[in-house]
Each structure stands twice: as C-alpha cells, then as structure tokens.
Amino acid sequence: MENSLNMGFSFEKNKPLSVNEKQSRKYYQQATKVVDMTTADAMLRSLELRLDTVVLRSNIARTIMQARQCVNHAHFLVNGKKVNIPSYQVRVGDVITVKEKLKESPLYKTLVEEFAEFSKKNSDATVTNAKWLSVDPKKLTITVTALPENGDFDKMIDAQRIVEFYSK
C-alpha cells in the first residue's frame, strides 16, 4: 500500500507519533481484540504506551524524534533493563530511568536544571501534563502509575479514521 490512500486518508497525519502504515495495521489488529473499550481508544492507548511516547509525554524529550533517538541509543532502562526499541509497550508499574552514566551528559544536566527552574517558578506544578505518569525531575525517572484514559490521548491522531479504513 502507498502512504496516501484513495479515501483521503494519509499516514502522514500519524507523524506526531512516528508510526508508519505497517505499525498502524498492527495496532489496529491488536485493538480489535480489546473488549472493554472502543477499537479507536484501544489503538490510542497502545500508541500512548509506547516507550518513545512515554519519554515525550514526560517532557524528557522535546520532540517525538528526539525521544525515538534517545530510546534507539539506549539512554533508558525499563525496570533496570536496557531497552532500545521505541515501540516497546510499557505497563502500569514500569519505572523508566535515564542510565546513570548519561545523567552527567550536557543534555540531561541541562534538563535537570530546566526542571529545577520550572519547579521554583511553579511550586505546585508537575513537569508533565500526563496524569498517568509520575516524573521525578531530579532523578530523571518516569513511573507509569495508571493506564492513559480517553482525555489523555493525542488529539492530532484520527484513530477513528484509521479504524474505519482497516475495517473495510
């Protein structure tokens, strides 16, 4: 299949999360097996639980491409184990940490300083808007505390349109 399909649907719209057509099909097939929520919501939940997306939502990365690169270069440990696959699915209770030796790199030192500055100016705020994530800005750790709900999903992705396309 090509990137742009005849019904006006384009996989280019999925670029906010860097998901290609093959991955979209896989997420759709997995989502059709979920019984307690709509297929579109199940797809979006799977997309939100990708390791690269979690890194982005935690504000440890500025863009999805930066998050993917950091994951690809094995900057993170999930529950103490090296993971370098951006599509890795995290689960509730998973703890994602920046590798110790990388915490001294300019990238992460600057990030810790920015988080500290933010915390000074916003004493009651958190560094992430994702309610389902807990971020420790000093230790650079992310804990998945719950599953993302409908209001947490990326509105830039039209999952319902993807579902309609694959259901035909």
Side-chain angles (χ1 to χ4, degrees), residues 112-132:
V112 169
E113 290 167 7
E114 288 173 6
F115 284 160
E117 188 66 30
F118 175 80
S119 295
K120 282 182 194 173
K121 293 179 181 177
N122 306 289
S123 59
D124 58 340
T126 61
V127 295
T128 182
N129 289 334
K131 299 176 209 113
W132 52 280

Side-chain angles (χ1 to χ4, degrees), residues 126-141:
T126 61
V127 295
T128 182
N129 289 334
K131 299 176 209 113
W132 52 280
L133 295 175
S134 173
V135 179
D136 184 334
K138 292 177 183 155
K139 295 181 181 176
L140 293 177
T141 62

Side-chain angles (χ1 to χ4, degrees), residues 149-167:
E149 297 298 326
N150 193 326
D152 300 320
F153 300 146
D154 190 333
K155 303 299 182 213
M156 294 177 69
I157 297 174
D158 191 351
Q160 187 56 44
R161 199 131 180 231
I162 298 169
V163 168
E164 288 169 10
F165 173 75
Y166 284 123
S167 64

